[in-house]
Amino acid sequence: MGRHFTAFLLLIPSLALSAGMSLEDISRLSWVTDVAVAPDGAHIAYIQRVPRRPFEDPDGEAWAELRVVSGDRGPRRFVRGDVTVEKLRWSADGKGIFFLATRGPKPPSGEQYNALYAIPVDGGEAFELCSLPDTNIAGYTLHPDGRRVALFATPAKADKQKKLEEHGFNAQVYEEDVRNRQLYLADIGEDSACEPQPIPVDGSVVAADFSPSGDRILLAVAPTSLVDDRYMQTRMRVIDGEGSLLARIDNLGKLGKAMWSPDGRRIAFIGVNDFNDPREGRLKVADARTGAFREVTPNLDGHVVDLEWLNSEQLGAVIHFGVESEYWRVDIETGRRSVLVGQGDRVIRQISRSANGDQVAAIADAANHPREVFAVTPAGLDRLTDSNPWLADRELGRQTTVDYRAADGLDLQGLLIWPVDYEESRSYPLVIFVHGGPESHRSDGWLTTYSQPTQVMAANGYFSFVPNYRGSTGRGVEFSKLDQHGYARPEFDDIVDGKDHLVSLGLVDPKRVGITGGSYGGFATAWSATALSQHYAAGVMFVGISNQISKFGTTDIPNEMHAVHARAWPWEDWQWFLERSPIYHVESARTPLLIMHGDSDPRVHPSQSLEMYRYLKSVDQAPVRLVLYPGEKHGNRKAAAQYDYSRRMVRWMDHYLTGPGGEPPPHEIDYEGQLPEDSEE
């Protein structure tokens, strides 16, 4: 960790604070999503997500640009504009950066596919190295000699199938009409025409990685390309260049990152404790020849979120503990560890290390900024980028950790964002933001997003509370299993206990509490608006669950639901599944509920929101509204849908927590003055 990168962007003069954050500010937030350090440590490449501006740019997902920071030189935009860059890799000699990208305007056919590109780090345009006909490259790994690449992708439809579809024969056979991702090898050296050749693999390729010597490939393979199989049945295999199986690593359950040791003798990976472990988070090492593996840090009371080999005997690992993070050096033989970066005011999400060991870079965020690039130094984290310098001109609500105890004595944590104008002796309205999963957690970093606008609520005079209820990650396997076969209770009682704790401190007005969340957080919201309705004055349910029986029958992850959530099949206890469904408690509903959902969601089918709406509408004891977003799936991706969601969510909370209440606000959103034609007038 010797090479020093100057934190040049932090020398910006401080600006006078002008105001708190607005919803328009959220729509312009930029953030870092991937980082890769050059082999010699001289450069750090990263991906910058650049949002599209509602009403100004063509609608769509945020763009992803390739940028590079070098020594004391500021970030340079290598690939920019209307582009989506992903999966960065450096050439072995450090002279070029490889990446996947979808570039340029769509062709007349409307179908646009990505390709493998390279760009020289010392200047020059990016150029295409390899592509596959009529399909996207899902991932790739570079051979150490720099002249070959292994790609994996879903093969294109056969010509016969295309011709049939042209004549209207486009019937789909559900979960059978699927194509597994295949592995391809191709030459990409000078004067080589990239002609990918398929390599036989039994199953669907999820990830691939050449060994340091280039004679073997580590594969992560699922039985099929179905999401459920990828989640629960992905296993590791070592093959040679012809596809012959050399070793099997029969890991159980969910699988995270895996990578070769520098000497090629071992494979480190992030695995699970057992098949029913809800989330990968255990640090394990396998023998690359025999496939035998063991856990390096047993009984860890946190979750591993990233790893890198420091040398062939030691690993660098990012561990999340509750709402904090640490970066460790771990000896793979003894399990001894030393803390390289301890808990502090930033949360580390990802690391990347140079081949020579001189430089480690990290992606990290804090309560006052989204994810940025940092250099890891002996003194800690040295910030290298500032994606949103305008945030210095925003007054943010302070963020603190809340420790409280559930009714059954379990110790819990959450995060509290305070009103910007907070005054002692006053009680404030509260909005609770419930994370999904539930095998997830919120850390003490940047929390504000389009569906969780905590700093906007702070600017508007609200407290925001983000609880890590039982079943959350970050506190070890045992804690993450506490809600298994425990849908809704006691996990959502934990949220009420957190709310009551804040009320007891005199901070929150108990009559002005709202709740919202997406996915499993949407389930929590639906449950809170029915079975726990007496506690909440408003709710906003996003891609949430209303009926556990029909949810099982319409989701793309039924086996995952059984293995790590319900721990029972519906036919084994119909009544339990029914009683743990919000619709079962609809007669208790008194909470005004806004329901929002993407109409193409495969995870939580939009029928879950339709059921919730119809039941509440029929009982007619509280206001209810349903908003569907065409083309959106499990969460909104496009700029317009995200902005519209934010506007509707905040307006609903304002109306029922600080406004007149009663009948819902108008179903339209007033965008007057924001449309381009309005400004032209």
Side-chain angles (χ1 to χ4, degrees), residues 474-494:
R475 293 181 58 181
V477 175
E478 182 179 353
F479 187 88
S480 69
K481 285 186 174 184
L482 287 177
D483 66 338
Q484 291 188 345
H485 199 62
Y487 280 155
R489 284 180 173 160
E491 57 185 353
F492 300 153
D493 295 332
D494 292 347

Side-chain angles (χ1 to χ4, degrees), residues 288-299:
R289 183 179 58 84
T290 67
F293 62 89
R294 58 183 177 80
E295 186 162 0
V296 178
T297 55
N299 304 315

Side-chain angles (χ1 to χ4, degrees), residues 60-93:
E61 296 185 34
W63 288 301
E65 298 184 346
L66 169 61
R67 300 186 181 184
V68 176
V69 59
S70 308
D72 59 358
R73 186 174 180 180
R76 292 169 287 163
R77 299 169 71 184
F78 269 51
V79 180
R80 58 195 289 184
D82 185 0
V83 66
T84 302
V85 171
E86 58 181 336
K87 301 190 186 306
L88 302 181
R89 302 285 189 277
W90 282 91
S91 61
D93 60 10

Side-chain angles (χ1 to χ4, degrees), residues 402-404 416 418 422 425-427 498-508:
V402 176
D403 296 297
Y404 68 100
L416 187 66
W418 296 60
Y422 174 74
S425 75
R426 282 184 57 192
S427 61
K499 180 264 296 184
D500 289 344
H501 174 72
L502 298 175
V503 170
S504 71
L505 296 176
L507 302 176
V508 169

Side-chain angles (χ1 to χ4, degrees), residues 294-317:
R294 58 183 177 80
E295 186 162 0
V296 178
T297 55
N299 304 315
L300 183 70
D301 60 355
H303 273 77
V304 181
V305 300
D306 199 13
L307 62 83
E308 289 279 345
W309 285 95
L310 302 181
N311 53 58
S312 293
E313 305 299 329
Q314 293 180 319
L315 286 163

Side-chain angles (χ1 to χ4, degrees), residues 231-298:
Y231 275 12
M232 300 304 299
Q233 300 293 339
T234 297
R235 304 292 181 260
M236 289 182 286
R237 304 288 182 259
V238 178
I239 64 171
D240 63 18
E242 303 297 323
S244 297
L245 181 65
L246 302 178
R248 302 168 61 96
I249 304 171
D250 289 321
N251 53 288
L252 297 173
K254 296 183 178 180
L255 175 66
K257 183 177 180 179
M259 62 186 308
W260 292 93
S261 62
D263 61 9
R265 295 173 53 208
R266 301 179 180 92
I267 294 164
F269 65 98
I270 303 174
V272 292
N273 190 64
D274 54 62
F275 184 75
N276 302 115
D277 191 343
R279 186 64 180 263
E280 66 277 12
R282 324 319 295 164
L283 186 60
K284 304 198 174 189
V285 172
D287 185 300
R289 183 179 58 84
T290 67
F293 62 89
R294 58 183 177 80
E295 186 162 0
V296 178
T297 55

Side-chain angles (χ1 to χ4, degrees), residues 157-168:
K157 293 180 180 179
D159 290 340
K160 181 180 179 180
Q161 180 62 34
K162 293 178 186 177
K163 290 179 181 179
L164 285 169
E165 291 180 358
E166 290 173 2
H167 291 278

